[in-house]
Amino acid sequence: MARPNIARTIFQDTAAFPHKTALIEGARTVAYRELAQTAGRLAAELARRGVRPLDRVAFLCADSIDYVLLSLAILSLDAAIVPISPGLMSDECEALLDHLDVAHFLADEAVAPDPAAGEPFRTPDLERTFRFASFSSRRPEPAGYAELHPAFIRFSSGTTGTSKGVVLSHETIHARTEAANAGLKITRDDVVGWVLSMSFHFVVTILLFLRKGATIVLCGDPLPQALVTALQAHPLTVLYASPIHYRLLSETATLEPSAFRALRLAVSTAIQLPEAIARRFYERFGHSLTEAYGIIEVGLPFIHAPAAGAYDGRLGQPLPAYEIRLDDGEVQIRGPGLFDAYFSPWQTRTDIAPDGWFRTGDLGEIAPDGELRLLGRRKAVINFSGMKIFPQEVEAVLDRFPGVAESLVYGEPHPEFGQLPQAKLVLRPNTSPLDIRAIRAFCRTHLAPHKIPKAFEIVAALPKTASGKIRRA
């Protein structure tokens, strides 16, 4: 019996309505039959170029219909996607390709760090021009990798703060999308407005929307005008966005409440929803925001819709498929669709969560009615508008700048972006005053823009533990 494949499931589940529109991007539309047929042709071309089942394919592409088509093509071959953010610099990208030992790299020339790397990959089915490169494996596959049937490997710090890839199997994605839809209730009648980065948000959203036969309207750039135009041109029933997007909409003077005439669900995700933004949106348009709390290792266990305008920081109760508990204040979650493994160093789900409970790294409290309120993060990972920043990675760059002896990168709370990266620097003896413009320019050549500290502070020394390690708050 064939194992589940999320791309083939989408094609099978939507075959009954072949002419229903699946994707809209400006004037370009793709119906569900075309979605399956085009992904099939692209899969054949990828197979001709050497993509095989279980291969890890690093995929870098601007958010677009092409992103969705190629993702489905890769998945349909039973290969695993390694999403690469367009914001990564060339050295960051190379390190990630090596760390996850990818077999192929498919990159959109428009956003690739090196747009000339690899052979041209261009077909009439795509609007964008890509480059394709293959590599020889440098390390043996981890024991049990093939048996997991991996579909995605998402770069993440994991529970220990050590860089690794979160492995999600096709079976896990099936379970996650089913569990999440108990809260989202997506059907083929929905028209979803999409503005988030597909590199960070895809598995429990785009794949779920397609699986349920919804229409997805891509309306990312330029913001907020593209989203305003989509609201005016299409009867959007679902918005899936971050708090920043809802603030921009609330500040758009020309946008009338009538633009939300068909809206049944406005989901806020990526970072915790600030009360001021939620209240302003409700006052302007008469719609409450629904907060979604997602974790790459878990899925989407919380989808909380408070009473009209009533926001008190709670995430509500978990969706029916999930359980929560606290251990020394740390939130733990158990349910379907937990990640399958960390790729490097290789650790299976059983290794990390032998009793089925995943430690989120979030601190929280559970009210008597079972609702969860988050209080902060146990880990040092910085959450900037839903994009994770690993302090040690930024510190490694700062420490290479002439005159810097050591550095500490941390997150400063921000009401809209979640956290802003900040840096404390200790200078070497007899160093001239630091040129902030020069160190920013240095960072821009080695780090994605969102990882560059927004402020630098010169200090005499950094706090240390008894063993000499930097003490992080």
Side-chain angles (χ1 to χ4, degrees):
M1 182 177 178
R3 298 182 68 175
N5 177 289
I6 188 62
R8 293 195 287 270
T9 294
I10 290 171
F11 304 150
Q12 292 164 4
D13 289 354
T14 59
F17 37 93
H19 303 297
K20 169 84 183 329
T21 299
L23 301 165
I24 299 175
E25 182 184 5
R28 185 183 183 190
T29 64
V30 175
Y32 272 98
R33 174 184 288 172
E34 184 184 357
L35 184 76
Q37 292 175 342
T38 304
R41 290 192 295 270
L42 293 171
E45 177 60 22
L46 289 169
R48 188 185 70 80
R49 295 187 182 227
V51 177
R52 300 290 181 264
L54 303 179
D55 281 355
R56 289 179 292 282
V57 182
F59 181 46
L60 186 157
C61 182
D63 298 334
S64 60
I65 286 178
D66 285 354
Y67 191 110
V68 179
L69 292 172
L70 283 167
S71 293
L72 293 176
I74 295 167
L75 291 170
S76 69
L77 292 172
D78 290 303
I81 297 174
V82 178
I84 305 293
S85 169
L88 290 185
M89 305 305 291
S90 57
D91 52 352
E92 293 177 296
C93 186
E94 290 175 7
L96 182 53
L97 299 184
D98 176 72
H99 190 71
L100 297 182
D101 196 17
V102 302
H104 313 281
F105 186 22
L106 181 61
D108 178 352
E109 281 188 358
V111 293
D114 182 359
E119 296 295 323
F121 185 98
R122 178 72 170 150
T123 82
D125 290 315
L126 301 172
E127 289 195 343
R128 316 179 82 84
T129 299
F130 292 81
R131 292 276 172 166
F132 182 86
S134 295
F135 311 97
S136 299
S137 178
R138 294 170 294 282
R139 295 180 289 276
E141 295 285 25
Y145 172 80
E147 288 74 10
L148 288 181
H149 194 203
F152 277 84
I153 304 179
R154 273 282 310 276
F155 187 62
S156 169
S157 69
T159 56
T160 64
T162 303
S163 299
K164 53 189 69 176
V166 176
V167 181
L168 304 178
S169 68
H170 287 268
E171 288 86 347
T172 288
I173 295 172
H174 277 80
R176 283 190 180 195
T177 51
E178 283 300 317
N181 211 39
L184 295 174
K185 297 180 171 57
I186 301 295
T187 73
R188 58 181 294 188
D189 294 326
D190 280 312
V191 181
V192 183
W194 179 265
V195 295
L196 299 176
S197 168
M198 293 185 186
S199 301
F200 294 94
H201 306 270
F202 194 84
V203 171
V204 195
T205 47
I206 296 292
L207 294 179
L208 168 59
F209 303 153
L210 293 176
R211 186 178 176 190
K212 299 302 178 181
T215 295
I216 305 172
V217 182
L218 306 183
C219 42
D221 290 320
L223 282 172
Q225 189 53 48
L227 181 52
V228 172
T229 300
L231 281 163
Q232 295 170 338
H234 304 285
L236 300 185
T237 63
V238 176
L239 269 180
Y240 208 93
S242 76
I244 299 168
H245 298 107
Y246 291 111
R247 177 181 65 79
L248 291 173
L249 289 177
S250 298
E251 294 174 353
T252 303
T254 58
L255 190 60
E256 298 294 332
S258 60
F260 300 90
R261 60 196 179 280
L263 193 69
R264 70 166 183 85
L265 181 64
V267 178
S268 177
T269 190
I271 63 171
Q272 193 163 3
L273 176 62
E275 179 182 355
I277 291 177
R279 290 189 181 279
R280 177 59 175 154
F281 188 84
Y282 178 76
E283 291 167 358
R284 274 289 317 270
F285 305 115
H287 286 277
S288 295
L289 297 182
T290 294
E291 188 165 12
Y293 170 61
I295 308 171
I296 184 174
E297 287 95 344
V298 177
L300 198 60
F302 285 86
I303 301 174
H304 180 49
Y311 295 89
D312 59 2
R314 294 191 186 190
L315 289 176
Q317 296 183 0
L319 292 178
Y322 296 95
E323 302 173 82
I324 58 171
R325 71 181 186 186
L326 299 181
D327 181 16
D328 192 25
E330 182 178 11
V331 179
Q332 296 187 347
I333 300 178
R334 182 168 66 182
L338 289 186
F339 74 114
D340 295 275
Y342 288 134
F343 185 81
S344 177
W346 181 258
Q347 294 174 288
T348 66
R349 178 175 58 210
T350 303
D351 296 330
I352 301 299
D355 57 357
W357 289 94
F358 176 74
R359 305 180 70 93
T360 65
D362 286 322
L363 300 176
E365 61 182 15
I366 300 175
D369 60 3
E371 292 197 347
L372 174 68
R373 186 198 304 273
L374 294 184
L375 303 176
R377 290 287 294 169
R378 186 183 293 276
K379 297 189 292 183
V381 176
I382 300 167
N383 182 357
F384 176 69
S385 193
M387 296 179 285
K388 300 301 188 289
I389 302 171
F390 312 141
Q392 295 88 341
E393 177 188 10
V394 181
E395 291 161 2
V397 171
L398 296 176
D399 292 349
R400 284 163 28 206
F401 187 77
V404 174
E406 58 182 351
S407 60
L408 170 64
V409 173
Y410 60 98
E412 184 71 19
H414 189 277
E416 295 180 6
F417 296 100
Q419 293 174 297
L420 296 179
Q422 313 270 14
K424 294 183 179 181
L425 306 175
V426 176
L427 301 183
R428 298 184 185 279
N430 304 317
T431 297
S432 301
L434 187 70
D435 185 338
I436 298 298
R437 288 179 297 179
I439 196 168
R440 287 190 190 279
F442 181 78
C443 288
R444 283 196 294 271
T445 65
H446 298 285
L447 292 169
H450 69 277
K451 299 179 183 178
I452 299 174
K454 311 309 177 189
F456 297 88
E457 179 186 358
I458 308 302
V459 297
L462 297 177
K464 301 288 182 67
T465 65
S467 62
K469 295 181 180 180
I470 293 178
R471 186 187 301 278
R472 301 182 187 273

